[in-house]
Amino acid sequence: MRKIVLIFMLLVSASVTAHESSELNKTMKEMGHTYKLAVKAKTGQEMQDHLQDLAKLVDKSKTFAFKKEVAAESLVGLNKVLDTVASAERSIAEGDVELARQALLEIDELRKQYHELHEPPSIWELLFGGGK
């Protein structure tokens, strides 16, 4: 009976972790889409609107429980994205949408750098821990 309870607890824990990972993945996809809309924006106001949405999504991402091995590094990356968004917003306020667009290209580089940290865990990692 104890083994059944232990297996059940492991499966529930794996399910919760998988759901959290799935929500993070969904939020990151939304961030990518919003980022693309900001880069393609025709006006400063349109870009500003997308940047505000992007900042909200980044803040939401910071609330997820990252793998402890990469949590600190993940938060550093998300804060760098917020800094870049702030820089782009300053450029927009100064009337330089093209400079803002150039600043946003840094976010794509950050995405490439930090993306590997958030690959979904395998079923074995969920059940037995471990991982990268």
Side-chain angles (χ1 to χ4, degrees):
M1 181 67 170
R2 283 184 143 176
K3 288 181 182 180
I4 293 173
V5 170
L6 180 60
I7 290 171
F8 177 74
M9 289 174 58
L10 283 172
L11 289 174
V12 168
S13 175
S15 175
V16 169
T17 302
H19 176 71
E20 179 95 356
S21 177
S22 174
E23 285 298 311
L24 176 60
N25 191 28
K26 179 182 170 188
T27 302
M28 287 189 160
K29 285 182 181 181
E30 288 179 56
M31 286 170 53
H33 177 69
T34 304
Y35 164 78
K36 288 176 186 175
L37 292 174
V39 170
K40 293 178 181 178
K42 304 264 189 252
T43 67
Q45 183 59 53
E46 183 183 356
M47 185 181 287
Q48 179 66 37
D49 292 344
H50 294 305
L51 290 177
Q52 289 173 353
D53 292 342
L54 179 59
K56 288 176 188 172
L57 289 167
V58 172
D59 283 334
K60 179 181 177 182
S61 294
K62 290 171 67 173
T63 67
F64 287 104
F66 296 109
K67 294 182 220 174
K68 63 183 172 184
E69 304 87 30
V70 297
E73 193 175 358
S74 298
L75 292 175
V76 167
L78 291 171
N79 285 328
K80 286 180 181 180
V81 170
L82 288 174
D83 290 345
T84 305
V85 167
S87 174
E89 289 176 327
R90 284 189 298 274
S91 295
I92 292 168
E94 295 169 0
D96 196 341
V97 175
E98 287 311 310
L99 185 59
R101 198 177 320 278
Q102 290 301 312
L104 291 179
L105 296 179
E106 293 175 32
I107 291 176
D108 194 46
E109 291 303 314
L110 291 168
R111 177 193 60 80
K112 291 173 187 173
Q113 182 180 352
Y114 288 91
H115 183 77
E116 293 177 4
L117 299 175
H118 301 286
E119 292 298 316
S122 71
I123 187 68
W124 303 113
E125 288 175 308
L126 292 172
L127 290 175
F128 302 109
K132 298 176 185 177

